[in-house]
């Protein structure tokens, strides 16, 4: 099941549990605006290359729309639509005053030079500058993009609208970025895992973790988990996979990855088949790569007791049912990986106030939001007698529906 179909299915299940009016349900499902633009740039060799860019703005009932921009060959309309909708529910679950959006360009950033990426980013910004802004739609980094991309967007946007640091988040610190933003999603995963384990009378210390995906989110989660006494026994990325039953030396692995651009070749663990990482024996599995990796084929062999969804939509609905029967507890993506958008909100607040926070304040506030978020999800689980995924969806959908009705929506 693709990401859009799965997201729509989860939304409709939540709407039924909430007893939403069918017309309101349909209104909440349809995106506010979808934009598709052509971006042609001169390449370094003088030839022209054309790319397709997307921005889907899903909902703005609770505030400006918010969502990342990804550069990836598989970016398409359905994926961006699904991720924009997920952002609407995610910001509502986190209880921050945003709606949801998502954007992307279908390209392979690894095949483009820095100057080509800059030209592509600036052309894309020129095409959408009148649709984004601090009080309209606030982009952020995603797969294939980062602080430098946001700096280019900010600069290009400012040519049209004047200096506007709150227009994008995930910026370099020197341009108004927030301390703690780089580690935010991974730190949010740590806080979410701590909160869940506390509910079960457990702690991070002594638990065995497997992390699929060792990019920004996975590597930060691994570092922070190991600092808390957790044992990371296996990791994987696009270059390969490693395991060590005694626990991988995460600081050394991070240094290796920084120098070699992947986990392959690290001597502190045994190489393994990347496809078997998900079914490696562990207490807690953290999928932190692409979506759809846990499906009906892999779910039956998963041995983890808990799954913390650091990636967006890593688990298919069919896999959800299989894992539920096995008693596996899944902490859903729209709560578990909301640390990134929460600290993006903090960055936006700092930019608007013109007053920056220190790192301790950022992390303390994030801990508060993540802890409070799980309590809200658990309350909905008790109210509707449902699992954590439906608890998160009912919490998010109910908040957006309430805001929509309060603003004067009529069937």
């Amino acid at each position: 099941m693709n990401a859009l179909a799965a997201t729509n299915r989860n939304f409709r299940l939540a709407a039924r549990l909430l007893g939403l009016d069918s017309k309101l349900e349909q209104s909440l499902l349809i995106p506010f605006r979808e934009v598709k633009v052509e971006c042609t740039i001169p390449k370094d060799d003088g030839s022209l290359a054309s790319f397709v860019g997307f921005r889907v703005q899903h909902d703005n009932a609770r505030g400006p729309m918010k969502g990342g921009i990804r550069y990836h060959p598989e970016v398409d309309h359905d994926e961006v639509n699904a991720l924009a909708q997920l952002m609407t529910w995610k910001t509502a679950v986190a209880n921050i005053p945003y709606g949801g959006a998502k954007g992307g360009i279908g390209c392979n950033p690894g095949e483009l030079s820095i100057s080509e990426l800059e030209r592509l980013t600036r052309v894309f910004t020129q095409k959408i500058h009148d649709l984004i802004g601090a009080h309209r739609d606030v982009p952020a980094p995603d797969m294939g993009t980062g602080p430098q991309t946001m700096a280019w967007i900010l600069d290009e946007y400012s040519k049209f609208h004047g200096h506007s640091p709150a227009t994008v988040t995930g910026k370099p610190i020197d341009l108004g970025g927030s301390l703690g933003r780089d580690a935010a999603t991974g730190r949010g995963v740590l806080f979410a895992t701590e909160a869940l384990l506390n509910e079960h009378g457990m702690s991070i210390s002594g638990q065995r973790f497997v992390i699929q995906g060792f990019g920004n989110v996975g590597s930060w989660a691994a570092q922070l988990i190991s600092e808390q006494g957790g044992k990371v026994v296996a990791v994987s990325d696009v270059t390969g996979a490693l395991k060590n039953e005694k626990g991988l030396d995460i600081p050394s692995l991070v240094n290796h990855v920084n120098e070699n651009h992947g986990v392959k070749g690290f001597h502190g663990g045994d190489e393994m088949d990347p496809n078997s990482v998900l079914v490696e024996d562990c207490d807690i599995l953290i999928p932190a790569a692409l979506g759809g990796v846990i499906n009906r084929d892999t779910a039956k062999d998963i041995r983890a007791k808990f799954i913390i969804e650091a990636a967006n939509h890593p688990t298919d609905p069919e896999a959800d049912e299989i894992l539920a029967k096995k008693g596996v507890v899944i902490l859903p993506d729209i709560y578990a990986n909301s640390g990134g958008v929460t600290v993006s909100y903090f960055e936006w607040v700092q930019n608007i106030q013109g007053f920056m926070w220190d790192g301790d304040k950022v992390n303390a506030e994030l801990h508060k939001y993540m802890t409070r978020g799980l309590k809200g999800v658990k309350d909905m689980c008790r109210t509707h007698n449902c699992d954590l995924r439906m608890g998160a969806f009912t919490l998010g959908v109910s908040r957006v529906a309430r805001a929509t009705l309060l603003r004067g929506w009529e069937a």
Side-chain angles (χ1 to χ4, degrees):
M1 188 178 293
N2 72 27
L4 184 58
T7 303
N8 288 350
R9 176 185 182 275
N10 288 328
F11 166 77
R12 292 193 187 282
L13 286 172
R16 249 175 252 137
L17 281 174
L18 293 165
L20 289 190
D21 174 86
S22 60
K23 295 187 185 68
L24 176 60
E25 178 183 335
Q26 190 63 17
S27 175
L28 291 178
L29 201 55
I30 298 170
F32 171 79
R33 181 188 285 128
E34 299 182 20
V35 180
K36 179 180 179 181
V37 296
E38 172 268 333
C39 302
T40 297
I41 61 164
K43 297 195 74 179
D44 292 344
D45 63 6
S47 64
L48 293 179
S50 291
F51 305 89
V52 178
F54 301 92
R55 189 68 179 172
V56 175
Q57 298 172 326
H58 181 258
D59 191 276
N60 63 354
R62 300 183 71 254
M65 292 165 285
K66 186 84 185 81
I69 292 177
R70 61 174 51 182
Y71 290 179
H72 193 272
E74 294 175 19
V75 166
D76 63 23
H77 169 266
D78 277 0
E79 181 193 45
V80 175
N81 204 318
L83 294 170
Q85 188 190 144
L86 277 175
M87 283 300 298
T88 297
W89 317 134
K90 185 184 296 185
T91 54
V93 169
N95 208 14
I96 53 182
Y98 284 144
K102 205 74 176 187
I105 299 176
C107 69
N108 186 340
E111 295 178 355
L112 298 172
S113 69
I114 294 294
S115 58
E116 288 167 345
L117 284 169
E118 179 176 354
R119 288 195 287 274
L120 180 58
T121 302
R122 290 184 183 277
V123 168
F124 183 54
T125 306
Q126 290 163 16
K127 297 289 180 80
I128 66 167
H129 74 88
D130 55 342
L131 302 175
I132 63 174
H135 301 290
R136 182 173 289 173
D137 177 4
V138 184
D142 201 279
M143 192 181 301
T145 61
Q148 180 61 72
T149 320
M150 296 305 107
W152 292 328
I153 293 174
L154 170 61
D155 183 68
E156 196 63 29
Y157 180 89
S158 296
K159 291 176 184 176
F160 294 94
H161 303 278
H163 183 57
S164 310
T167 298
V168 292
T169 59
K171 302 180 292 296
I173 299 295
D174 290 340
L175 292 178
S178 176
L179 294 172
R181 176 62 187 88
D182 188 44
T185 309
R187 194 178 298 276
V189 167
L190 169 77
F191 291 155
T193 306
E194 278 182 330
L196 179 66
L197 292 177
N198 286 343
E199 293 269 339
H200 292 264
M202 301 160 69
S203 67
I204 297 279
S205 182
Q207 303 298 324
R208 294 171 306 130
F209 291 79
V210 166
I211 300 176
Q212 188 227 17
F214 207 72
N216 174 273
V217 179
S219 61
W220 272 111
Q223 291 174 74
L224 296 165
I225 283 165
S226 64
E227 287 172 11
Q228 295 290 327
K231 190 187 295 183
V232 181
V233 296
V235 301
S236 71
D237 66 8
V238 292
T239 67
L242 302 164
K243 66 176 178 180
N244 185 333
E245 290 181 10
K246 296 179 180 178
L248 292 160
D249 181 344
I250 297 300
S252 297
L253 178 57
V254 169
N255 289 336
H256 174 85
V257 169
N258 289 339
E259 292 172 6
N260 299 279
H261 308 292
V263 302
K264 186 177 178 65
F266 181 66
H267 298 303
D270 300 319
E271 286 192 10
M272 62 182 293
D273 180 0
N275 295 321
S276 65
V277 163
L278 293 169
V279 298
E280 187 68 20
D281 185 34
C282 64
D283 301 310
I284 300 163
L285 172 63
I286 302 180
L290 288 170
V293 294
I294 301 176
N295 50 43
R296 64 183 173 188
D297 297 323
T298 52
K300 63 181 185 296
D301 297 320
I302 282 176
R303 292 187 275 177
K305 303 177 188 71
F306 299 91
I307 295 175
I308 313 295
E309 295 187 335
N312 286 317
H313 175 61
T315 312
D316 274 352
E318 290 175 328
D320 259 342
E321 293 173 11
I322 294 168
L323 293 165
K325 288 175 184 171
K326 292 171 67 171
V328 179
V329 177
I330 303 174
L331 202 57
D333 50 0
I334 61 171
Y335 162 68
N337 67 27
S338 64
V341 73
T342 301
V343 175
S344 277
Y345 164 59
F346 299 161
E347 180 178 334
W348 180 75
V349 167
Q350 293 168 74
N351 292 156
I352 287 172
Q353 290 181 330
F355 183 83
M356 307 308 286
W357 302 354
D358 63 30
D360 289 342
K361 179 175 173 62
V362 172
N363 294 338
E365 289 294 320
L366 176 59
H367 185 267
K368 187 191 305 180
Y369 272 76
M370 296 303 297
T371 306
R372 194 166 58 198
L374 184 63
K375 182 182 182 304
V377 171
K378 295 287 287 187
D379 287 346
M380 294 302 270
C381 290
R382 285 187 283 271
T383 299
H384 298 288
N385 190 28
C386 59
D387 63 13
L388 288 166
R389 188 178 309 284
M390 276 302 107
F393 266 88
T394 51
L395 178 61
V397 172
S398 65
R399 283 175 172 164
V400 177
R402 193 156 59 243
T404 302
L405 292 169
L406 286 168
R407 290 179 69 140
W409 185 88
E410 292 181 10

